[in-house]
Amino acid sequence: MTLGLIVPQLLNGLQYGVLLFLLAAGLTLVFGIMSFIN
């Protein structure tokens, strides 16, 4: 594999990880504020 293929793939993975983290943190805040009972 060339460097031109590895760099965009790493950036896409990082972007997807950040997206999942923000989604999880947002849902945690929302459900924490609403104080749902499990």
Side-chain angles (χ1 to χ4, degrees), residues 2-17:
T2 62
L3 191 64
L5 292 176
I6 294 175
V7 171
Q9 199 68 6
L10 286 175
L11 292 177
N12 284 337
L14 184 64
Q15 181 183 8
Y16 188 60

Side-chain angles (χ1 to χ4, degrees), residues 3-38:
L3 191 64
L5 292 176
I6 294 175
V7 171
Q9 199 68 6
L10 286 175
L11 292 177
N12 284 337
L14 184 64
Q15 181 183 8
Y16 188 60
V18 169
L19 177 69
L20 288 179
F21 172 74
L22 288 176
L23 181 65
L27 287 176
T28 301
L29 285 175
V30 167
F31 286 131
I33 290 173
M34 292 174 67
S35 66
F36 274 6
I37 300 174
N38 290 347

